[in-house]
Amino acid sequence: FFSDSLNLEIYTTAVAMRCGYSERELIELGMGALLHDVGKMLIPLSILNKPGRLTDDEFVIMKKHAEYGFELLRRQPEIPLLAAHCAFQHHERCDGSGYPRGLKRDQIHPYARLMAVCDVFDALTADRVYRRAMLPHEAMEILYTSSGTQFEQEIVEVFRNTIALYPIGLTVSLNTGETGVVVDYNRGLPTRPIVRVLKDPHGQMVAVPYEIDLSKQLNMMISGCDREAGIKASPSF
C-alpha cells in the first residue's frame, strides 16, 4: 500500500497548497494521507488480494479498515488526531452514501472531503487484481459525474486545475495509432497535452518527430499510456 499512500499524499498536499492550507494543516493532512489505509493491515490477505469482486460479507469486513486505522492512529501520541480522522473518514461521501458512518457533507472534516477526491482518482488510475487501471481522463469523468453529490464540486475543480493528468515524459498512444511522449501541458485543459510523435500508426519510428497540440486537434485523443512505467499524474506547478 505504500505506493498508493505516497501518490495520495502528493495529490492531497498539492491540492491543499492550491487551496491555501497552512503549514500545520499540510503536515496533518499529509500524514493522514500517508497513513489513511493503515487499517488494512488488520484485514485478512484472502480478502485484500482476492482477484474477483468481494461478496457482501467480505465487503463488510473490508470496510472495517477505516475504523481499524482510526483506532490504531489515535492511540499514537505523535500522530495528530486529525490525521487519524483522515483514516476514519476518507470513504465518507457528501451525500451520505459512504462508510463507515454514512456522514454527510458538513459532518465530514474538510481534510477527508479533499482526500476523498484524490483517493478515488488514485484508485481508479491504478491496476487492481480485479481490473486494469483507467486512463486519467476517464477517472476525471467519473469524478465529475459525482461532483456536487458524493464529492465537493469546488475540490474536484481544484484537483483538475492542480494535477497534470498526463505528466511530461509519459509515453502515450493516440486514437490515430501514433505513439509519442508528452512534452507539455495546457493549463485548464489537463486531458489534452502536447505530444511529440515518435512512431507512426504502423509502429515505425518517424524520420522527424513532430508535435501535436491536442487542445487544437479535437478529433484526436489519448487512447493509452505506458502503464508499465508506473508514471502517475503529478502536480502541475
Side-chain angles (χ1 to χ4, degrees):
F1 305 115
F2 178 74
S3 61
D4 289 340
S5 295
L6 181 59
N7 288 329
L8 182 59
E9 192 275 336
I10 293 171
Y11 294 157
T12 54
T13 300
V15 174
M17 289 175 65
R18 182 64 64 89
C19 291
Y21 279 37
S22 68
E23 182 178 354
R24 177 186 59 79
E25 291 170 330
L26 291 173
I27 292 172
E28 291 174 337
L29 182 55
M31 191 174 296
L34 280 173
L35 299 172
H36 76 291
D37 268 346
V38 69
K40 287 185 176 179
M41 294 191 304
L42 302 178
I43 302 298
L45 289 177
S46 59
I47 293 178
L48 281 178
N49 298 328
K50 185 177 179 179
R53 289 195 175 277
L54 300 179
T55 65
D56 290 344
D57 289 341
E58 290 170 333
F59 189 50
V60 169
I61 295 172
M62 175 64 85
K63 290 193 293 185
K64 290 287 187 181
H65 80 272
E67 298 173 68
Y68 294 158
F70 175 69
E71 291 299 327
L72 285 170
L73 295 176
R74 77 181 183 89
R75 293 192 178 100
Q76 307 304 315
E78 68 276 17
I79 302 295
L81 184 58
L82 287 178
H85 275 285
C86 289
F88 203 11
Q89 298 184 357
H90 69 281
H91 283 294
E92 300 286 0
R93 298 293 180 259
C94 290
D95 60 359
S97 63
Y99 66 85
R101 293 184 290 169
L103 303 179
K104 292 190 175 182
R105 185 187 183 281
D106 291 338
Q107 299 171 311
I108 305 169
H109 193 277
Y111 289 0
R113 298 203 299 266
L114 186 155
M115 188 179 297
V117 172
C118 302
D119 184 47
V120 168
F121 178 85
D122 183 56
L124 293 175
T125 55
D127 283 325
R128 292 291 186 258
V129 290
Y130 53 87
R131 64 158 173 79
R132 292 296 304 274
M134 289 185 181
L135 291 171
H137 70 267
E138 295 171 334
M140 278 304 307
E141 289 176 6
I142 289 180
L143 286 175
Y144 271 116
T145 299
S146 301
S147 174
T149 53
Q150 293 189 21
F151 309 111
E152 280 194 60
Q153 183 173 349
E154 296 85 352
I155 295 175
V156 174
E157 290 290 345
V158 174
F159 182 91
R160 174 183 179 272
N161 294 326
T162 301
I163 303 300
L165 302 184
Y166 293 99
I168 293 172
L170 180 66
T171 298
V172 297
S173 53
L174 304 176
N175 61 334
T176 55
E178 296 153 296
T179 301
V181 175
V182 175
V183 294
D184 204 353
Y185 50 83
N186 289 297
R187 290 194 178 278
L189 293 170
T191 65
R192 308 198 69 81
I194 298 171
V195 177
R196 180 172 297 151
V197 175
L198 304 177
K199 293 182 180 180
D200 65 22
H202 304 290
Q204 301 298 313
M205 297 295 294
V206 298
V208 180
Y210 54 93
E211 294 182 2
I212 297 176
D213 186 343
L214 295 181
S215 70
K216 298 177 181 177
Q217 301 292 333
L218 300 183
N219 63 322
M220 301 177 70
M221 63 181 297
I222 292 173
S223 59
C225 63
D226 184 6
R227 303 179 193 276
E228 298 303 320
I231 300 175
K232 301 286 287 184
S234 61
S236 60
F237 61 87

